[in-house]
Amino acid sequence: MAVTPTIAQGAPGIPARWTSSAKSGVGTALSAKSPLWFTISHGILNEIYYPRLDSACTRDMELMVTGPGGSFSEEKRDTVHVIEPFEDGVPAYRLVNTAADGSYRIEKRIVSDSKRSVLLQEITFVALKGSASDYRVYALLAPHLINAGMGNTAWVGEHRGQRILFASGRGVSVALASSLPWSTCSAGYVGFSDGWQQLRNGGVLDPAFERAEDGNVALTGEIGLSPGTGTALLALGFGAWPEEAAEIALASLRDGFEAAAETYAANWRKFQAGLEKLDRQAASGLNTYRISTAVLASHLSIARPGAAVASLSIPWGFNKGDDDLGGYHLVWPRDLVETAGGFLAAGDARQALQILTYLRSIQQPDGHWPQNCWSSGTPYWPGIQMDECAFPLLLADALRRAGHLPRAKLDEFMAMIESAASYVVRNGPVTGEDRWEEDAGYSPFTLAVEIAALLAAADMLDACGKNEPANYLRETADCWNDQIERWTYVTGTELCAREGVEGYYVRIAPPDDAGAASPKDGFVPIKNRPPGDSDKPAEAIVSPDALALVRFGLRAADDPRILNTVRVIDATLRCDLPQGPVWYRYSDDGYGEHEDGAPFDGTGRGRPWPLLAGERAHYELAAGRPAKAAELLETFERSAGIGGLLPEQVWNRPDMPERELRLGAPSGSAMPLVWAHAEHIKLLRSLHDGAVFDMPPQGVERYVRRKTVSPFRTWRFNDKIRSIPAGKTLRVELAARGVVHWSSDKWLTVHDDKTAENAFGVHLVDLAVADLPPGSTIAFTFFWPEASRWENVDFTVGVNPSD
């Protein structure tokens, strides 16, 4: 008669939490047969993703050791960790974890099986005090299946006569098998009856706990080590059902570690061999270039070629639970284009083109891209960020200019290009959110991307014989470019007086407000700050984002306005750390740990971003200072964590060992940040070439060399300008067919000008007002023929002296 397994006590366990985002290693097999991605920190495995790289299925997996005198220790807290890759550019890892008290050493090698969805750990236990027989070694696995720690079921079972540790949840199962038979095993609820609690409090596992259902669960098994067998191979298999997971785990055990490791390494060697030779040996001995290229490739999807997530981590994950479904393992179109740029700089145009193809597949019907999405393309957050809607156009043109998108291939992408250009030209220049995903308005960074993208799209349209739409895109780009300073450059402020400059570009200016003379006079809501500390005058907030005007070719590096802004940026946002200068995102940023080191929880204090040192290095190179750019490259690299991975932010306060925060070292935010590794690769390529690798040439030619000026100013319902310089034509753009009923002499003389629809669905007409003297006022309203009605509101635009 079958015996019902004993259910563990303490259901459903404590609330589930994720783990540290401070990864020291990430890896995958680069094999369609192995849709599995793994991460490492603190000497142990953390999140393992399956069957998609946006589906975390574990919290962590570590070893625990009991020894003489009832001692108890665990790898992640009680050992000193060393990690190294098998070889340059191969993200398989050797780990050595030595007990802090010197009693033992654990040596591990970790790879995934290229033939199957199995993660392999070869474990060798070495007693440094006493003999091996004095110790017992246990594996502890915390499943968090499909991005959730609650609602999982764990049990101790068998498959083909071998004892296996199982867990299931949300249509996925895992099976943990050992080459040495498990001794005592247990399934329990985290915080009450899990193996850590049992061993920490009583020194032994209770084998009666064979099952833990529908909760935050953990599995524990004693590895059957003995004085003669100090090495074991653990195989963690993933499948749609328990039997599948167990079957492939046992198959990997039979094939052994060496065969899996050789195939894994061969896949990575082949990938790395096809790249540009930009190798760089850091002082740490690590090849930073090959680390960055491996990070980019380790974040690529298998099910959706071309998709790549922002990071296989959850910032401050140890403080977050199941309500943070996405973490950073989502696709952001901006980060994805930056990733594509990293691949292109490394010489992998095929992968960059695959990313463009993926972007085409997730473009929305109206031409925009979602703020972020799952790798399947399903949108996650609902924001609209105009730089993300424009970036894919820059990628397409970069591929075209490099010869990877010839005319026939370009034709395949024209529908995407025209739709994206149409969305940008109709909905810009104001963005719903800036690149930091926080504020609406006129952002120098977003404006730079939008304008550069319109010029790039125009060239691509010209290449396909579509000259009239191309000319309209250039006219709009010129019009927006002329107004960047009107929107975002301030003069005569307190900060100007303090720093001795004439003016500077602000971080972002809010959308036009009828109560303000210009957007720069408004207020910006600073996100992630406590109530009462959120609204700041736009003129008081600066950001390195303004350097995008140089990076994307719209302003010269030695433009006096840029030089003024650099001076202000350095006075307010530069943070000198042991590795060198690193910059904050913007004044009063709240995205980072609290002052006491507590994790970001919706509010906090922004910390410096190594990525911005890379961007600053590109500015220095554009300014003709390659030596300074090379110094900043070293600062960038010295900001990496153990293993060479680049973090999102670094800690800028005195050491707080109890919170694992050290001055200049990675904070608790995302690590690795793929965007930072892409910027690192591009910087290596830029220094190699002696020029900024990804600077679009159109703006440089048009605005820096030729000083092109627009004859227009554009009025539209999402950008109701209130004045134009004398000598400019007023272009009115509408979303539907209309008649502009207007006058420049207080309605003594009236004009009715009909709009005409262009290729982008914009209904426009140019009002002949260029001859009006300063001080004139243009008044106008609209008649809508389709609805046979008047707007019944008069709008006015004043004529100012020329710029």
Side-chain angles (χ1 to χ4, degrees):
M1 186 175 79
V3 177
T4 302
T6 302
I7 303 294
Q9 300 170 351
I14 61 174
R17 290 288 180 268
W18 292 100
T19 190
S20 171
S21 60
K23 309 307 180 190
S24 51
V26 294
T28 187
L30 292 182
S31 167
K33 296 178 180 178
S34 182
L36 186 152
W37 297 259
F38 63 91
T39 66
I40 295 170
S41 81
H42 297 79
I44 68 169
L45 286 163
N46 292 150
E47 295 98 349
I48 302 169
Y49 296 80
Y50 167 91
R52 300 182 308 276
L53 80 169
D54 53 20
S55 297
C57 283
T58 65
R59 178 186 188 273
D60 56 20
M61 180 180 173
E62 68 166 329
L63 300 182
M64 301 178 293
V65 179
T66 59
S71 65
F72 168 85
S73 63
E74 56 175 324
E75 283 185 289
K76 66 181 175 184
R77 290 188 177 92
D78 302 318
T79 68
V80 177
H81 321 297
V82 175
I83 183 172
E84 62 178 15
F86 276 20
E87 58 190 76
D88 287 348
V90 177
Y93 300 95
R94 296 185 187 88
L95 288 80
V96 178
N97 295 326
T98 304
D101 64 3
S103 58
Y104 63 84
R105 183 175 68 244
I106 296 170
E107 300 168 1
K108 298 195 287 194
R109 294 194 295 165
I110 298 176
V111 299
S112 53
D113 189 338
S114 303
K115 297 179 181 179
R116 311 170 185 92
S117 300
V118 178
L119 195 286
L120 292 169
Q121 281 192 94
E122 182 193 69
I123 295 166
T124 300
F125 181 83
V126 179
L128 301 178
K129 293 181 179 177
S131 66
S133 59
D134 295 331
Y135 300 89
R136 293 176 181 270
V137 181
Y138 302 83
L140 173 66
L141 171 66
H144 277 215
L145 294 167
I146 309 296
N147 296 326
M150 304 303 292
N152 296 301
T153 294
W155 70 98
V156 180
E158 287 192 1
H159 185 76
R160 296 191 182 276
Q162 295 201 42
R163 211 169 194 196
I164 306 285
L165 304 181
F166 289 101
S168 288
R170 284 161 288 279
V172 169
S173 294
V174 296
L176 180 59
S178 172
S179 63
L180 298 179
W182 295 113
S183 297
T184 309
C185 298
S186 177
Y189 292 102
V190 174
F192 294 94
S193 54
D194 63 272
W196 189 93
Q197 294 287 339
Q198 294 180 47
L199 294 172
R200 178 71 178 81
N201 297 325
V204 294
L205 288 182
D206 186 343
F209 292 162
E210 295 178 313
R211 190 174 183 89
E213 297 180 344
D214 192 21
N216 181 12
V217 300
L219 287 155
T220 309
E222 182 183 350
I223 302 171
L225 299 170
S226 67
T229 53
T231 298
L233 180 59
L234 302 185
L236 183 62
F238 293 77
W241 53 90
E243 294 79 11
E244 179 189 16
E247 190 69 24
I248 62 172
L250 293 176
S252 287
L253 285 182
R254 287 193 299 271
D255 286 355
F257 186 87
E258 298 300 339
E262 181 50 43
T263 305
Y264 184 100
N267 289 346
W268 279 98
R269 290 185 197 116
K270 181 179 179 182
F271 164 73
Q272 296 285 5
L275 303 181
E276 293 283 339
K277 303 297 187 287
L278 300 173
D279 297 75
R280 175 179 168 81
Q281 212 75 24
S284 63
L286 296 170
N287 186 324
T288 58
Y289 171 61
R290 299 296 173 175
I291 288 173
S292 286
T293 55
V295 166
L296 263 60
S298 293
H299 284 73
L300 289 168
S301 173
I302 289 174
R304 290 298 298 271
V309 298
S311 177
L312 291 172
S313 73
I314 300 173
W316 300 284
F318 57 87
N319 198 47
K320 296 183 178 181
D322 289 358
D323 54 344
D324 194 301
L325 289 178
Y328 271 28
H329 43 271
L330 293 161
V331 178
W332 271 264
R334 171 181 45 256
D335 294 55
L336 187 55
V337 172
E338 298 283 10
T339 298
F343 278 115
L344 199 55
D348 192 347
R350 182 195 64 81
Q351 186 58 61
L353 185 57
Q354 202 162 58
I355 288 173
L356 185 67
T357 303
Y358 170 79
L359 283 164
R360 179 178 62 185
S361 76
I362 66 167
Q363 187 181 29
Q364 302 300 291
D366 64 357
H368 87 277
W369 274 272
Q371 178 180 357
N372 56 23
C373 62
W374 298 104
S375 59
S376 65
T378 302
Y380 186 62
W381 288 342
I384 299 289
Q385 298 173 11
M386 293 302 295
D387 67 320
E388 292 197 306
C389 302
F391 258 125
L393 293 169
L394 292 176
L395 173 58
D397 190 55
L399 285 162
R400 179 189 69 86
R401 288 185 285 103
H404 305 299
L405 213 58
R407 172 61 194 277
K409 194 73 175 174
L410 183 61
D411 283 342
E412 297 177 20
F413 288 93
M414 277 314 297
M416 181 202 85
I417 291 165
E418 290 179 293
S419 182
S422 176
Y423 188 88
V424 171
V425 84
R426 285 184 291 108
N427 293 279
V430 170
T431 183
E433 291 180 350
D434 63 342
R435 74 161 169 169
W436 306 120
E437 310 194 283
E438 294 176 358
D439 288 308
Y442 297 93
S443 155
F445 184 92
T446 301
L447 287 165
V449 178
E450 289 175 308
I451 294 166
L454 291 182
L455 296 178
D459 279 4
M460 290 185 283
L461 286 168
D462 271 345
C464 295
K466 300 185 178 186
N467 307 116
E468 189 174 336
N471 287 337
Y472 171 70
L473 294 183
R474 292 191 184 98
E475 287 174 350
T476 303
D478 293 348
C479 185
W480 291 356
N481 182 68
D482 275 2
Q483 297 178 84
I484 290 173
E485 283 70 32
R486 181 177 80 81
W487 290 323
T488 67
Y489 191 79
V490 296
T491 57
T493 70
E494 290 183 15
L495 191 51
C496 288
R498 190 166 77 233
E499 301 306 329
V501 297
E502 171 262 349
Y504 53 87
Y505 294 97
V506 299
R507 172 208 164 198
I508 193 168
D512 274 330
D513 178 355
S518 81
K520 299 170 295 194
D521 297 323
F523 285 78
V524 174
I526 303 296
K527 302 298 174 67
N528 307 316
R529 299 296 297 151
D533 188 28
S534 58
D535 277 2
K536 303 286 183 181
E539 68 178 33
I541 309 298
V542 294
S543 170
D545 286 4
L547 298 184
L549 297 171
V550 176
R551 181 73 172 264
F552 292 96
L554 309 189
R555 299 291 181 270
D558 61 354
D559 185 307
R561 296 163 300 193
I562 294 291
L563 296 176
N564 286 339
T565 305
V566 168
R567 186 167 173 176
V568 172
I569 288 169
D570 285 351
T572 58
L573 301 176
R574 172 173 164 150
C575 181
D576 290 311
L577 295 171
Q579 62 265 45
V582 188
W583 284 263
Y584 300 99
R585 296 193 304 175
Y586 57 82
S587 318
D588 294 319
D589 183 11
Y591 182 56
E593 283 91 351
H594 292 268
E595 288 300 310
D596 64 358
F600 173 77
D601 55 4
T603 64
R605 178 68 68 181
R607 306 296 164 186
W609 285 54
L611 164 72
L612 298 176
E615 292 187 352
R616 178 57 173 268
H618 271 111
Y619 167 74
E620 296 295 339
L621 186 59
R625 296 186 286 269
K628 182 64 176 175
E631 287 179 20
L632 287 167
L633 169 64
E634 293 187 7
T635 297
F636 196 5
E637 294 178 340
R638 285 196 293 264
S639 298
I642 179 174
L645 302 185
L646 292 168
E648 181 180 67
Q649 301 178 46
V650 288
W651 183 241
N652 62 320
R653 304 285 294 162
D655 292 358
M656 293 186 180
E658 70 281 6
R659 293 193 183 272
E660 298 187 359
L661 295 170
R662 292 184 299 106
L663 180 65
S667 74
S669 57
M671 185 166 78
L673 185 65
V674 179
W675 179 8
H677 283 279
E679 178 73 2
H680 176 244
I681 294 169
K682 286 189 279 187
L683 182 54
L684 290 172
R685 177 66 183 269
S686 296
L687 287 166
H688 176 273
D689 294 351
V692 177
F693 172 75
D694 59 354
M695 182 183 290
Q698 294 93 343
V700 176
E701 178 61 30
R702 198 168 185 87
Y703 305 129
V704 177
R705 296 196 181 118
R706 286 167 32 198
K707 313 290 186 186
T708 300
V709 175
S710 172
F712 304 102
R713 285 294 182 268
T714 300
W715 187 100
R716 49 169 67 168
F717 275 96
N718 68 338
D719 186 18
K720 300 185 187 81
I721 63 171
R722 292 182 295 281
S723 64
I724 62 171
K728 300 289 185 186
T729 295
L730 180 61
R731 172 168 284 181
V732 177
E733 297 187 344
L734 306 173
R737 186 164 67 93
V739 177
V740 183
H741 184 71
W742 67 280
S743 174
S744 60
D745 57 6
K746 299 183 179 179
W747 299 108
L748 294 175
T749 307
V750 176
H751 309 271
D752 287 309
D753 290 355
K754 296 179 180 179
T755 63
E757 185 177 7
N758 70 8
F760 299 104
V762 176
H763 299 259
L764 62 87
V765 62
D766 294 337
L767 307 187
V769 300
D771 294 334
L772 293 178
S776 302
T777 298
I778 307 156
F780 55 96
T781 188
F782 304 103
F783 178 73
W784 305 104
E786 305 296 340
S788 190
R789 68 172 181 85
W790 287 90
E791 182 68 18
N792 287 328
V793 175
D794 282 356
F795 304 94
T796 60
V797 172
V799 179
N800 292 337
S802 299
D803 290 342

